[in-house]
Amino acid sequence: MRSQLLSDRKIASATHNIAAWRAARRKKKPNAEGGAEEEIEAGHDSDGERWAGAKLQGQLRELGADGVAVVVTRWFGGTLLGPARFRHILDASESVLKQNGLVSQGMFSRGGVARGVDAGKPCVCGEGVMRKRSGKYGDFYGCSRYPQCKNTQQIR
């Protein structure tokens, strides 16, 4: 897959092509019920963007996306984004996964955040969704469009 993507000159010229994948596959060993066991095979390639591949892989797990591979291509534009780059990478990935019907839930509607709270709720700006964030005063919900939208909410 990687070599096929890199045959595109624009993608090949990128600073980083960050990839993650998850696929269910059947083991040959039968389980107690007589069926074949399934295990999730997952992996990532950060392509020099330290921790980015692992974060993408974690996102796929949180979203429950199986049988999926995602590649986020990033060019360095001269400005160091710091940790904010991860938010951009994950937002791009989640957007494509949702647009193609590969996932239907918001990133934090499963797993570590209680359902029915504010995570995944549309932001008042009308364009973003509320995501769980961590700051120096603890966890909170913030708009996925930050820094364009600075709306936040306390976790109840």
Side-chain angles (χ1 to χ4, degrees):
M1 174 182 81
R2 184 175 179 77
S3 60
Q4 186 176 6
L5 286 170
L6 292 177
S7 67
D8 181 306
R9 286 188 313 177
K10 186 172 182 181
I11 294 172
S13 72
T15 311
H16 305 287
N17 290 295
I18 305 143
W21 57 90
R22 280 177 55 89
R25 67 179 186 143
R26 294 194 180 270
K27 287 184 175 180
K28 293 181 181 176
K29 188 172 101 176
N31 62 18
E33 293 83 36
E37 287 186 23
E38 274 194 2
E39 86 178 358
I40 300 293
E41 186 174 316
H44 66 271
D45 177 5
S46 293
D47 192 31
E49 183 69 86
R50 193 170 179 190
W51 301 305
K55 287 184 178 285
L56 267 182
Q57 184 180 339
Q59 179 189 51
L60 293 178
R61 183 184 61 251
E62 288 291 319
L63 291 169
D66 294 329
V68 171
V70 65
V71 177
V72 176
T73 299
R74 182 171 178 269
W75 288 265
F76 180 67
T79 302
L80 294 173
L81 299 176
R85 71 188 185 277
F86 298 124
R87 183 172 46 254
H88 298 297
I89 291 165
L90 295 176
D91 286 348
S93 167
E94 185 174 357
S95 175
V96 169
L97 290 168
K98 283 183 175 180
Q99 287 172 6
N100 289 284
L102 299 170
V103 296
S104 59
Q105 302 183 49
M107 184 170 172
F108 293 102
S109 59
R110 323 169 23 124
V113 177
R115 290 184 173 101
V117 192
D118 295 317
K121 172 181 147 189
C123 180
V124 295
C125 72
E127 295 180 33
V129 294
M130 300 306 283
R131 295 253 176 93
K132 185 177 180 189
R133 308 277 189 209
S134 294
K136 66 180 181 179
Y137 299 111
D139 292 344
F140 64 96
Y141 293 112
C143 181
S144 62
R145 291 190 61 246
Y146 178 85
Q148 293 85 7
C149 175
K150 294 181 172 48
N151 182 38
T152 62
Q153 293 179 347
Q154 288 183 315
I155 294 180
R156 294 179 226 136

